[in-house]
């Protein structure tokens, strides 16, 4: 059974930083495509960052709105994915979800709330 558990969300002031974690069980991150998504109130869920492992290395992709501020990474030993978020803005406020895709099946975490406000 695949289980993804996010943590690390919270309330932070504009310009601050947070690091989200996504711990996986029942699936290995390093063998599958993975990513972070977010959903703000009244909006559709959107891609934040993805990380795909290939035979020639890892390929990362970021939404334009977070480029240069967010960094996706993983720790294979802990089977955990991270999203380092710096220079946070109020418009980054959303519920953040991690996702892993295996054999065309998507698995989602339960989400963690990030609120950027003074």
């Amino acid at each position: 059974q695949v289980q993804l558990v996010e943590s690390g969300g919270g309330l932070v002031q504009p310009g601050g930083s947070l690091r989200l974690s996504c711990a996986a069980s029942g699936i290995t991150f390093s063998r599958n495509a993975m990513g972070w998504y977010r959903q703000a109130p009244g909006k559709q869920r959107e891609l934040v960052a993805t990380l795909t492992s290939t035979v020639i290395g890892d390929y990362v992709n970021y939404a334009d709105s977070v480029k240069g501020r967010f960094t996706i990474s993983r720790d294979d030993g802990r089977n955990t994915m991270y999203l380092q978020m710096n220079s946070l803005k109020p418009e980054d406020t959303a519920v953040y979800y991690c996702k892993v895709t295996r054999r065309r099946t998507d698995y989602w975490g339960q989400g963690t709330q990030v609120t950027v406000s003074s």
Side-chain angles (χ1 to χ4, degrees):
Q1 182 178 358
V2 176
Q3 187 174 18
L4 304 176
V5 180
E6 297 106 333
S7 61
L11 174 64
V12 63
Q13 292 186 343
S17 298
L18 284 174
R19 188 177 79 156
L20 305 183
S21 300
C22 176
S25 58
I27 194 167
T28 302
F29 273 133
S30 62
R31 300 177 184 176
N32 300 282
M34 66 203 79
W36 288 95
Y37 295 74
R38 67 186 181 187
Q39 187 167 18
K43 295 187 177 181
Q44 291 187 331
R45 192 171 298 186
E46 63 178 3
L47 179 150
V48 175
T50 60
L51 192 160
T52 304
S53 296
T54 71
V55 294
I56 59 174
D58 291 342
Y59 175 76
V60 296
N61 180 53
Y62 295 97
D64 288 342
S65 58
V66 307
K67 281 181 181 177
R69 301 188 297 123
F70 291 10
T71 303
I72 187 172
S73 64
R74 70 165 191 264
D75 183 330
D76 291 343
R78 297 177 184 270
N79 204 28
T80 299
M81 177 173 62
Y82 302 98
L83 184 68
Q84 178 66 44
M85 305 186 295
N86 298 328
S87 302
L88 283 161
K89 304 175 181 180
E91 51 264 42
D92 294 318
T93 296
V95 178
Y96 284 70
Y97 300 88
C98 62
K99 185 186 83 169
V100 61
T101 301
R102 182 177 66 184
R103 299 173 188 169
R104 301 184 181 180
T105 298
D106 293 335
Y107 299 92
W108 293 89
Q110 83 287 353
T112 185
Q113 176 70 46
V114 172
T115 303
V116 185
S117 175
S118 55

